[in-house]
Amino acid sequence: MNVAIVGAGLAGLSCARVLHDDGLAVQVFDKGRAPGGRVSTRTSEAGTFDHGAAMLHGLPADFISIHAATLSSGAEAVNPAPVANALPRSMAEGLDVTQSAKITGITREDACWSLSFEDGSTRHADRLGICIPPAQAKALLPEDVAFEIAAEMRPQWTLMAACRTGTDRDVIQLGDGHVARRQGGSDPERWVVQADAAWSADNVDTARDVVRDLLWQAFRTVTDAGGAHYLAIHRWLYARTRTPLDAPCLWDPEAAIGVAGDWCLGDTAGDAVLSGRALAKEMLT
């Protein structure tokens, strides 16, 4: 049986790993340049920034044991090490993962699924798993699948800055609920500012340079930071779960298609892993 998984985040990779270990032929397709989804690392001339979900909550004990080489225990949660995307790269080892593969549509043809890609190519699969944010999954799913996705996610703006502050703190609470976390470096230091969830939602369509300047000013106000050696802004349109599905996954056995993601169960990394594994179980059944 040939299986295709759309999305190489923690849910998609967890699903693919279970299927691969059970002997199935599995292909994973992801539109990003590297696996991991929101467990992501930005590489720049100033160094690396873990600008996505750098703290991972709720991971299953066996998962932590398997990937112990890329995880470390932090004050608030388990953290990927030495950088965030070390974990998904470890999860993807031995799997058939195609990056920079943007899917434009899926159709059911002759009892199998046909996936169309932006570059004009197509792939086929007997069973299909969609492990991406709910809004993106809805846009891909055919209208006649036997389930509905009633989950929502919220955005988050993230600022990456390299500058000198002189502070010895690693986590700093800023105004409006924003949080700054040290990434490392000394000359200059590297910081990631994660904007407050409500503030991010209110400013989801604000111009990128305006958001960048507002978050930079919030950081400078608290830290007395000097001039920036590097500034970059990133908008995670689907950052955290607002309304979960309250189900491990969704699966249509007649059409052989299903969906999974942290948003099925909650908003933690552990929810993503458990959801991906649940979808794999349905596929094997």
Side-chain angles (χ1 to χ4, degrees):
M1 182 171 58
N2 178 33
V3 180
I5 303 296
V6 179
L10 297 192
L13 293 174
S14 295
C15 182
R17 175 57 61 187
V18 172
L19 298 172
H20 175 272
D21 291 349
D22 204 69
L24 275 66
V26 187
Q27 289 182 296
V28 183
F29 302 99
D30 190 89
K31 68 177 183 178
R33 290 177 290 182
R38 282 163 282 148
V39 184
S40 180
T41 301
R42 170 79 65 89
T43 301
S44 74
E45 62 268 25
T48 59
F49 296 86
D50 291 338
H51 65 307
M55 294 186 298
L56 308 179
H57 298 268
L59 291 175
D62 68 312
F63 181 93
I64 295 175
S65 177
I66 293 169
H67 299 286
T70 59
L71 294 170
S72 65
S73 297
E76 301 176 55
V78 174
N79 304 321
V83 292
N85 67 4
L87 173 62
R89 289 185 184 278
S90 172
M91 295 174 67
E93 287 182 5
L95 298 178
D96 184 356
V97 181
T98 302
Q99 300 293 155
S100 301
K102 184 176 181 180
I103 294 178
T104 56
I106 56 175
T107 55
R108 187 73 172 165
E109 298 178 0
D110 299 326
C112 73
W113 288 103
S114 177
L115 290 72
S116 301
F117 293 85
E118 193 174 49
D119 63 3
S121 64
T122 58
R123 297 289 190 277
H124 297 86
D126 300 309
R127 297 190 178 187
L128 180 59
I130 310 295
C131 302
I132 54 180
Q136 295 176 336
K138 288 179 185 179
L140 277 182
L141 287 172
E143 295 181 357
D144 58 349
V145 296
F147 53 76
E148 293 185 6
I149 299 176
E152 297 180 348
M153 300 193 76
R154 58 192 182 187
Q156 185 174 56
W157 284 103
T158 300
L159 175 74
M160 291 155 276
C163 59
R164 294 191 182 95
T165 65
T167 181
D168 59 359
R169 290 180 291 173
D170 292 328
V171 180
I172 303 175
Q173 299 293 326
L174 309 180
D176 293 321
H178 311 320
V179 179
R181 290 184 169 86
R182 184 190 296 272
Q183 301 292 291
S186 57
D187 190 21
E189 305 157 30
R190 299 191 309 278
W191 292 85
V192 163
V193 177
Q194 293 177 316
D196 175 73
W199 188 93
S200 293
D202 291 341
N203 290 277
V204 64
D205 294 321
T206 302
R208 298 174 65 87
D209 58 343
V210 173
V211 174
R212 178 199 62 204
D213 293 346
L214 288 172
L215 292 179
W216 173 236
Q217 184 56 45
F219 180 74
R220 293 191 68 184
T221 298
V222 174
T223 63
D224 293 326
H229 295 258
Y230 175 86
L231 278 181
I233 192 75
H234 183 86
R235 184 185 68 173
W236 295 101
L237 194 55
Y238 308 108
R240 299 291 297 271
T241 304
R242 181 194 301 273
T243 307
L245 196 64
D246 290 331
C249 65
L250 294 175
W251 175 247
D252 182 341
E254 295 297 325
I257 188 172
V259 295
D262 54 352
W263 49 270
C264 288
L265 291 168
D267 68 350
T268 70
D271 291 327
V273 172
L274 293 175
S275 179
R277 289 178 172 181
L279 180 57
K281 183 178 179 180
E282 292 289 352
M283 287 182 167
L284 292 170
T285 302

